[in-house]
Amino acid sequence: MQQMDYLWKLQKMENIIQEEKRMLKSITKGEEIGEKIKQHKEFKNIYEVRKKKNEEKKKELTKFEDTYNEMSYKKDEIKNKLYDGKIIDLKQLDSLLKEQEKLEDTISSIDSKMLEIMEVVEAIDEELKATEIQERRMGSIIKKMLLDRKIQIHNIEEKITEQMKEKEEVLKNINEKYMEIYMDIKRKKNNPIARIESDICTGCHMDLPIMVLSKLKSQEIVICSNCGRIVYSISEG
């Protein structure tokens, strides 16, 4: 393998390492996971708000049930008085009948209110179940995403390590002169080497002069007169 082949391989390795590091940074940052965690917290908050509202409604229902039972007990007492044969005058009878009617109206009102609250509680219970399912599902997704990220990070780090080792081996085969020119151009351009395709420099997409093309057969580095990159013909390898 000639010096230009080693330089070309070096550039490809450096690009791979750079891309892997970009991926590693993106994965480590975990924006997608962060968004999922945010949504998960929102679901938890919604669940807690609904749960609190449900508890309040159930307490309210319990109070109405206690009142309902109390009123029903009073109604039964009046009923017993009306039929125990101890009423001695019409005034007492009229008073009991009015009290009975009032209690029946109160009981009917409480009964309607209880039914209304029960419907609300039932609806909130359904919402709680749906929210809990969504919250658990999202929690599972987040766990999987975290596990996948851990595996991805591990794999990328291993790949970078392998590429770095290979890069060190390639560097051992490049002489100092070639490396200095390569690094000098790299300080100005991301990719210091450009392939030649159909006598065109792929770095600047300009036709290369015949004199430049003729130099490719030599062992020396050939520079594109337009973009200043090292030009490389794959046919050399």
Side-chain angles (χ1 to χ4, degrees):
M1 191 180 286
Q2 298 179 10
Q3 287 293 300
M4 280 304 303
D5 296 316
Y6 283 119
L7 280 179
W8 178 250
K9 190 174 182 180
L10 173 65
Q11 179 172 279
K12 286 201 295 183
M13 283 183 173
E14 288 181 336
N15 285 338
I16 290 170
I17 292 168
Q18 188 178 11
E19 181 58 31
E20 292 296 330
K21 284 182 176 180
R22 273 198 294 266
M23 286 178 62
L24 184 61
K25 186 178 179 181
S26 176
I27 293 168
T28 305
K29 194 175 182 181
E31 290 182 353
E32 188 179 353
I33 296 176
E35 187 60 33
K36 285 289 181 185
I37 291 171
K38 184 181 176 183
Q39 290 175 11
H40 188 237
K41 285 180 180 178
E42 287 172 359
F43 271 112
K44 276 191 169 182
N45 290 336
I46 291 169
Y47 180 83
E48 290 303 321
V49 169
R50 286 175 177 169
K51 186 179 177 182
K52 186 178 179 182
K53 184 180 178 181
N54 202 32
E55 288 171 353
E56 289 172 353
K57 285 294 178 182
K58 284 180 178 178
K59 285 180 181 178
E60 188 179 354
L61 181 61
T62 300
K63 287 181 181 179
F64 275 112
E65 285 175 343
D66 291 342
T67 306
Y68 181 90
N69 292 332
E70 185 182 342
M71 294 296 104
S72 295
Y73 179 76
K74 286 182 179 180
K75 182 186 171 184
D76 289 340
E77 282 186 329
I78 291 170
K79 185 179 179 180
N80 291 333
K81 285 180 181 179
L82 287 170
Y83 293 100
D84 63 4
K86 295 181 180 180
I87 297 173
I88 56 176
D89 57 50
L90 292 175
K91 186 177 180 181
Q92 186 183 7
L93 176 63
D94 183 60
S95 176
L96 286 171
L97 288 171
K98 284 180 179 179
E99 189 176 352
Q100 184 185 46
E101 184 181 356
K102 186 178 178 181
L103 282 168
E104 285 175 348
D105 289 341
T106 303
I107 289 169
S108 178
S109 176
I110 291 171
D111 191 47
S112 297
K113 190 66 179 176
M114 284 169 63
L115 286 171
E116 183 183 322
I117 295 170
M118 285 169 71
E119 287 177 359
V120 173
V121 169
E122 188 177 344
I124 296 173
D125 278 337
E126 290 299 317
E127 289 175 350
L128 279 171
K129 287 176 184 176
T131 306
E132 188 175 8
I133 290 168
Q134 287 177 308
E135 186 267 330
R136 285 180 179 177
R137 186 179 295 145
M138 192 164 288
S140 297
I141 291 170
I142 290 169
K143 285 179 182 178
K144 187 179 182 305
M145 288 175 75
L146 288 169
L147 179 61
D148 289 345
R149 183 177 72 167
K150 186 178 179 180
I151 293 168
Q152 282 180 305
I153 289 172
H154 175 73
N155 290 340
I156 291 172
E157 285 177 341
E158 276 197 339
K159 192 172 181 180
I160 290 172
T161 301
E162 287 172 8
Q163 288 293 323
M164 291 297 288
K165 287 178 181 177
E166 287 185 34
K167 178 184 171 182
E168 290 300 318
E169 291 301 314
V170 171
L171 285 170
K172 291 176 183 178
N173 293 288
I174 302 173
N175 67 45
E176 191 175 340
K177 177 187 172 183
Y178 276 73
M179 200 64 209
E180 284 178 1
I181 296 170
Y182 176 87
M183 292 304 296
D184 185 55
I185 298 171
K186 191 178 179 181
R187 291 186 192 94
K188 304 167 190 174
K189 303 180 187 295
N190 189 38
N191 284 319
I193 305 175
R195 278 184 60 182
I196 297 171
E197 292 180 1
S198 302
D199 298 341
I200 293 173
C201 171
T202 56
C204 59
H205 306 289
M206 298 292 289
D207 287 323
L208 292 169
I210 295 173
M211 287 183 66
V212 172
L213 293 170
S214 65
K215 291 180 182 178
L216 291 171
K217 294 178 182 179
S218 69
Q219 296 294 318
E220 295 300 315
I221 284 181
V222 181
I223 305 294
C224 174
S225 57
N226 184 62
C227 67
R229 289 182 174 88
I230 301 168
V231 288
Y232 171 70
S233 175
I234 196 71
S235 61
E236 290 180 0

